[in-house]
Amino acid sequence: MNIMLFHSTYGLRPAVRAAADRLRAAGHEVWTPDLFEGRTFETVEEGMAFNDGIGKDELLRRAVLAAAPYSDRGLVYAGFSLGASVAQTLALGDEKARGLLLLHGTSDIAASASVDELPVQLHVAEPDAFETDDWLSSWYLQMRRAGADVEIYRYAGAGHLYTDPDLPDYDAEAAEATWKVALGFLDSL
């Protein structure tokens, strides 16, 4: 698979590179665009402030430019938290998208969004302050209405960004379970 993997609001940190290496070791080609142009952050608040300064339109412009040279290959879009919302937006707008792997995040769905059985897999903590139960129920229904084939995996007691070993949210057991399921998902595409 050809995978476009987007970083979280912390920026392109070692955990994102490690995830890309893990995917490459499983036989996938992976790109990790740096939407923050070299900036990384120690706290979610710093990252969100920087992201707000860039603005959603500019962030999506950078993501589209990063994906454009590879989109004819049929990309799987993937991302962590903020990067998952970027990945979702791009996948729903790319008729050649092969799949969508969301780690720790989702995004709003345009009422006009329409896909043809796009395989989607979401992995989130339970509970997750950024991905509440009510939001996830609504998100799931909207994704199904758009035509996506959605799977959701919840990890009780894990922190929001539980796959990043350098953050307090890290949960080794949940992270390994996520990667096992996600690699199986990618192999099925």
Side-chain angles (χ1 to χ4, degrees), residues 102-106 120-124 136 139 151-153:
L102 303 172
L103 302 162
H104 321 295
T106 61
V120 177
Q121 193 173 84
L122 169 64
H123 297 266
V124 291
L136 287 174
W139 175 86
E151 299 176 350
I152 300 176
Y153 294 85

Side-chain angles (χ1 to χ4, degrees), residues 27-155:
H28 305 289
E29 190 162 357
V30 184
W31 296 273
T32 55
D34 187 349
L35 303 180
F36 288 176
E37 299 175 336
R39 300 284 309 267
T40 59
F41 302 95
E42 295 300 315
T43 69
V44 69
E45 292 80 13
E46 291 172 349
M48 289 173 78
F50 182 78
N51 180 50
D52 289 346
I54 292 172
K56 184 176 182 177
D57 290 344
E58 174 62 16
L59 190 73
L60 288 174
R61 186 190 72 77
R62 292 176 184 184
V64 167
L65 288 174
Y70 311 103
S71 64
D72 280 348
R73 300 180 186 196
L75 291 171
V76 172
Y77 292 92
F80 297 94
S81 192
L82 169 69
S85 70
V86 170
Q88 177 185 305
T89 300
L90 268 60
L92 291 178
D94 181 353
E95 64 187 29
K96 293 183 181 180
R98 299 280 309 273
L100 176 58
L101 176 60
L102 303 172
L103 302 162
H104 321 295
T106 61
S107 184
D108 295 333
I109 302 165
S112 61
S114 178
V115 294
D116 187 18
E117 291 298 313
L118 179 71
V120 177
Q121 193 173 84
L122 169 64
H123 297 266
V124 291
E126 182 178 26
D128 187 320
F130 296 102
E131 302 291 326
T132 65
D133 291 344
D134 288 346
W135 167 256
L136 287 174
S137 294
S138 174
W139 175 86
Y140 174 83
L141 292 172
Q142 290 176 56
M143 285 296 279
R144 293 293 299 151
R145 201 168 15 255
D149 181 13
V150 182
E151 299 176 350
I152 300 176
Y153 294 85
R154 306 287 306 269
Y155 299 88

